[in-house]
C-alpha cells in the first residue's frame, strides 16, 4: 500500500516542492505561458499587470547588478563562460563586424567579441606577413603600424541595456579589464531600440530576452536594426528534454539557487524570480516559431548542456 | 557459554522484559533492516517540501524546505565567519538554527506576566515609535538616556535590524524580531560598545540567556579575530562576568523595556539580575 502510493505521492510532492503549487495558490491562469487577458503577464510564477513587469524586472537587476558576475559563476559553476564562448564561436565575427549586444549589462559578450576580433586580426596579419616572404622593412613596419592604429579592423560593439546599474557595473569592468576602444554603452529598451534601421551586422541578446515584457516586439526591433544579411543570435535558458536531467535541474534550481542568492547577494526574491522566469520561457520550438514570425529566415537552434541553454540563430535576408 | 548482551536494564527489570528490550535494541543495529524505497522517497520529498504551502505566514516570510534551511545555515555560518560585518548572514543563521530555542523562549514569555503582555501587544522598537527627543531629555543614568547615548556614540540605529524571513511560525518570527531589537538594549545594560570585543561579550551573555545556536557560535568563533591582549581581557574577566550574569538574570525578553525608560540603569540591572560590569576600558 505504502509502496504503490508512495511513489506517486512523492512525485506530486516533488513537483509541489518546486514551487509550482505556489503558482496555483496565487491563481495563475492554469500555469499557461501566453497570458493575454486584461493586459497581464507573468513575473516568474506570479501574475502581474504588464505595465508593472518592466518596473519590477528593473528593480531585480538594479539590486543584483553588483553581484551579478559572482552569482553567475557560483550558480553555473563557471559554465556560463563556456556557453558565451560557444556563442562567439558560432557568431565567428571578422574584423569590421558591427555588433549590437542588447541586454548586454556587464559586457560579457562584448568583451569576448573584442578579444575574438583582435585575435582574428592578429592571425590574419601573421598569415599576410608569412605569405609575403620578401617584404622590405618599411612595408613590414607599415603593416604593424596599421595594426596598431586599427587593432579591431573597424569592428564596433554597441552595448545596450535598459538598466543603468548594470551599465555602470559594465563600464567599471571595462575600465578594470582594459577595454577602451570599440565599445559604446547605450541605455535603451529592447522593445524600442534607439537606433536607425539597417545598422548592425549582428544582434545578440544573451540571457536577456526572457526578461522582456513583449518578446515579439523585441524580435521585431531586432529585425529592424539589422542590415540585410545580418544575423540574430539569442543565448537563453531553455527547456530540458531529458527527464532525469530535468528533475535534477529543477531540484538544483529551486532548492539551491535562491539559497545562493541569499548568501552571496543577500537577495532571495530576485533569484527566485530568475529560476521561475526560466520555467515561463517558451520551448525551443515555440521560440523558433516566434523568431520566424518576426521575419527571420533560416532559423535554427542548438541545445547546450542537454537543453539547459539554447542558442537560436536567424538571418535577415 | 551463553552470550549475555550488556543491556543497562539487565539487572533492574525481570529477565523476560530485559530479553525483550535487548531484542529490540539488536533490531536497531540490524544491517539488513534498511528503510523501504517508499519510505526513502517520502523522506526525500519531505526534505524538499516548502514550508509555506498555503503561502507566506507573515509579511516578509519566505517559505523554505528543510534542505534549503540546512544549506542556508551552512552557507550563512561560512559567510558570517568570513565577513563578520554581514549582519544579514548572522540573522539568517539565527533564524535557520534557532527553532528549538525560539520555542523555549516563547514558552518562557508565555509563562511570565510581562512577557505574555509583550507577546500580546507586540511592541516594536523603531525610531518612528521612540520619542527620541523625550528620551534625550531624561536625566543621566536613566535607561532611556543611556540608550540614546549608546546609539549616538556607536552611530547605530534600531531600524537596521533585518526582519525575520525564514522562521515558519508567525509568533516565533515576532520573538526573534524582539530578540534582535532588544540586542541594542543589552549593549546598554551590559555597558558594552559595538566593537568586536563588545559584541562577543554580549553574545556570551545572550547565548546563556536565550540558548540560540547562533549566539553560541558567535560567542565561540567571534574571538578568533581579536588581538591577544583583548583576548586575555575577554577570557579572564569579561566572559566569566557575562556568563554569571546570564545564568543569574531573568529572561531578558520578559521585560517591557518601553515602560522602563525612566528607570535608573543600575536599578534595572539589579531587577533583571545582571552583575555590575567590570571597569575596563574597551
Amino acid at each position: 500500500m505504502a509502496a504503490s502510493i508512495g511513489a506517486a505521492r512523492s512525485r506530486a510532492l516533488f513537483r509541489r516542492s518546486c514551487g509550482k503549487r505556489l503558482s496555483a495558490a496565487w491563481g495563475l491562469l492554469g500555469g499557461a505561458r501566453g497570458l493575454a487577458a486584461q493586459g497581464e503577464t507573468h513575473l516568474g510564477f506570479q501574475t502581474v499587470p504588464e505595465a508593472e513587469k518592466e518596473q519590477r524586472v528593473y528593480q531585480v537587476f538594479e539590486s543584483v547588478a553588483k553581484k551579478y558576475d559572482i552569482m553567475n559563476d557560483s550558480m553555473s559553476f563557471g559554465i556560463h563562460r563556456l556557453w558565451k564562448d560557444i556563442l562567439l564561436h558560432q557568431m565567428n565575427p571578422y574584423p569590421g563586424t558591427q555588433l549590437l549586444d542588447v541586454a548586454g549589462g556587464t559586457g560579457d559578450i562584448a568583451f569576448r567579441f573584442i578579444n575574438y576580433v583582435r585575435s582574428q586580426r592578429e592571425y590574419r596579419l601573421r598569415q599576410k606577413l608569412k605569405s609575403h616572404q620578401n617584404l622590405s622593412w618599411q612595408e613590414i613596419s607599415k603593416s604593424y603600424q596599421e595594426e596598431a592604429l586599427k587593432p579591431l579592423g573597424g569592428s564596433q560593439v554597441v552595448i545596450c541595456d535598459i538598466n543603468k546599474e548594470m551599465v555602470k557595473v559594465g563600464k567599471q569592468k571595462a575600465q578594470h579589464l582594459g577595454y577602451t576602444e570599440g565599445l559604446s554603452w547605450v541605455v535603451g529598451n529592447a522593445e524600442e531600440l534607439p537606433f536607425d534601421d539597417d545598422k548592425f551586422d549582428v544582434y545578440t541578446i544573451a540571457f536577456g530576452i526572457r526578461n522582456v515584457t513583449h518578446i515579439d516586439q523585441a524580435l521585431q526591433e531586432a529585425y529592424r536594426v539589422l542590415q540585410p544579411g545580418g544575423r540574430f543570435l539569442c543565448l537563453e535558458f531553455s527547456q530540458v528534454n531529458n527527464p532525469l536531467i530535468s528533475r535534477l535541474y529543477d531540484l538544483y534550481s529551486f532548492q539551491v539557487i535562491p539559497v545562493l542568492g541569499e548568501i552571496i547577494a543577500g537577495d532571495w526574491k530576485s533569484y527566485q524570480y530568475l529560476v521561475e522566469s526560466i520555467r515561463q520561457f517558451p520551448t525551443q520550438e515555440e521560440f523558433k516559431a516566434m523568431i520566424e514570425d518576426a521575419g527571420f529566415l533560416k532559423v535554427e537552434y542548438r541545445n547546450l548542456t542537454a537543453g539547459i541553454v539554447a542558442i537560436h540563430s536567424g538571418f535577415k535576408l | 557459554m551463553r552470550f549475555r548482551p550488556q543491556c543497562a536494564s539487565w539487572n533492574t527489570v525481570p529477565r523476560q522484559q530485559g530479553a525483550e528490550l535487548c531484542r529490540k535494541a539488536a533490531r536497531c543495529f540490524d544491517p539488513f533492516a534498511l528503510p523501504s524505497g517508499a519510505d526513502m522517497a517520502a523522506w526525500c520529498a519531505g526534505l524538499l517540501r516548502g514550508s509555506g504551502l498555503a503561502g507566506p505566514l507573515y509579511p516578509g516570510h519566505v517559505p523554505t524546505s528543510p534542505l534549503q534551511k540546512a544549506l542556508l545555515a551552512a552557507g550563512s555560518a561560512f559567510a558570517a565567519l568570513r565577513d563578520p560585518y554581514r549582519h544579514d548572514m548572522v540573522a539568517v543563521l539565527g533564524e535557520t538554527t534557532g527553532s528549538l530555542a525560539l520555542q523555549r523562549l516563547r514558552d518562557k514569555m508565555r509563562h511570565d506576566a510581562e512577557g505574555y503582555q509583550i507577546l500580546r501587544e507586540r511592541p516594536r522598537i523603531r525610531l518612528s515609535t521612540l520619542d527620541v527627543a523625550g528620551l534625550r531629555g531624561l536625566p543621566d543614568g536613566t535607561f532611556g538616556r543611556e540608550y540614546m547615548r549608546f546609539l549616538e556614540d556607536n552611530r547605530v540605529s534600531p531600524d537596521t535590524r533585518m526582519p525575520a524571513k525564514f522562521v515558519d511560525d508567525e509568533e516565533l518570527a515576532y520573538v526573534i524580531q524582539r530578540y534582535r531589537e532588544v540586542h541594542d538594549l543589552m549593549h546598554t545594560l551590559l555597558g558594552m560598545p559595538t566593537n568586536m570585543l563588545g559584541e562577543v561579550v554580549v553574545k556570551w551573555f545572550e547565548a546563556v540567556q536565550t540558548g540560540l545556536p547562533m549566539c553560541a557560535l558567535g560567542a565561540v568563533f567571534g574571538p578568533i579575530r581579536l588581538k591577544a591582549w583583548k583576548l586575555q581581557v575577554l577570557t579572564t574577566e569579561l566572559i566569566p562576568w557575562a556568563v554569571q550574569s546570564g545564568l543569574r538574570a531573568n529572561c531578558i525578553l520578559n521585560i517591557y523595556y518601553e515602560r522602563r525608560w525612566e528607570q535608573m540603569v543600575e536599578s534595572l540591572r539589579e531587577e533583571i539580575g545582571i552583575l555590575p560590569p567590570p571597569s575596563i576600558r574597551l
Side-chain angles (χ1 to χ4, degrees), chain A residues 68-81:
Chain A
Y68 186 73
D69 291 321
I70 299 177
M71 279 302 299
N72 281 348
D73 276 332
S74 320
M75 291 190 290
S76 68
F77 303 112
I79 300 175
H80 74 106
R81 296 165 188 244

Side-chain angles (χ1 to χ4, degrees), chain B:
Chain B
M1 185 167 161
R2 212 164 136 240
F3 171 67
R4 271 171 202 230
Q6 299 301 311
C7 299
S9 55
W10 190 252
N11 295 320
T12 57
V13 304
R15 191 175 168 183
Q16 208 149 21
Q17 279 187 26
E20 182 55 48
L21 278 167
C22 287
R23 237 174 281 135
K24 271 198 192 152
R27 223 176 291 151
C28 292
F29 298 108
D30 179 2
F32 298 109
L34 290 167
S36 70
D39 288 340
M40 284 291 282
W43 180 77
C44 287
L47 215 58
L48 303 170
R49 196 178 314 149
S51 59
L53 289 179
L57 298 165
Y58 51 86
H61 180 215
V62 176
T64 42
S65 64
L67 175 65
Q68 286 177 317
K69 285 203 181 64
L71 291 172
L72 274 170
S76 60
F78 178 69
L81 217 76
R82 209 162 155 256
D83 182 5
Y85 289 102
R86 283 210 60 185
H87 300 295
D88 57 335
M89 287 293 101
V90 177
V92 168
L93 184 63
E95 285 170 30
T96 48
T97 53
S99 62
L100 214 63
L102 285 176
Q103 281 169 29
R104 260 187 267 134
L105 276 174
R106 193 243 321 253
D107 291 339
K108 271 196 210 167
M109 286 176 84
R110 275 198 187 144
H111 294 136
D112 178 88
E114 229 174 320
Y116 187 72
Q117 221 179 5
I118 295 172
L119 275 180
R120 246 200 13 237
E121 291 174 23
R122 306 269 177 106
R124 297 290 301 267
I125 301 177
R126 269 189 285 233
L127 279 178
S128 51
T129 57
L130 294 174
D131 176 17
V132 177
L135 290 176
R136 244 189 235 136
L138 287 172
D140 282 344
T142 47
F143 183 49
R145 182 74 191 93
E146 294 309 310
Y147 176 55
M148 280 293 124
R149 186 166 291 141
F150 162 79
L151 290 181
E152 281 157 23
D153 284 351
N154 293 279
R155 277 183 281 260
V156 290
S157 149
D159 293 350
T160 54
R161 299 289 152 213
M162 282 226 354
K165 284 201 280 203
F166 303 112
V167 182
D168 293 328
D169 180 293
E170 194 254 330
E171 202 173 22
L172 295 181
Y174 175 72
V175 172
I176 204 170
Q177 194 66 44
R178 181 80 183 158
Y179 154 74
R180 280 183 197 150
E181 289 171 1
V182 159
H183 177 81
D184 283 341
L185 301 174
M186 286 304 107
H187 271 279
T188 313
L189 279 179
L190 296 171
M192 291 289 130
T194 51
N195 56 18
M196 200 62 197
L197 187 60
E199 290 289 352
V200 169
V201 176
V202 178
K203 277 281 169 291
W204 273 97
F205 177 79
E206 283 175 348
V208 173
Q209 270 277 312
T210 62
L212 282 165
M214 174 265 289
C215 297
L217 285 170
V220 168
F221 289 104
I224 287 177
R225 292 167 176 267
L226 287 174
K227 295 200 185 77
W229 69 266
K230 283 190 178 172
L231 207 59
Q232 205 207 7
V233 168
L234 186 70
T235 44
T236 51
E237 301 205 30
L238 292 172
I239 289 183
W241 162 71
V243 170
Q244 254 184 320
S245 298
L247 290 169
R248 246 179 119 241
N250 302 331
C251 181
I252 48 166
L253 292 181
N254 279 340
I255 317 285
Y256 210 130
Y257 295 101
E258 287 87 338
R259 297 190 184 147
R260 311 300 191 102
W261 297 128
E262 284 103 31
Q263 196 172 353
M264 299 299 287
V265 173
E266 283 86 13
S267 133
L268 189 56
R269 266 191 207 134
E270 237 187 85
E271 185 187 329
I272 301 176
I274 298 176
L275 298 164
S279 48
I280 307 171
R281 260 201 76 73
L282 288 170

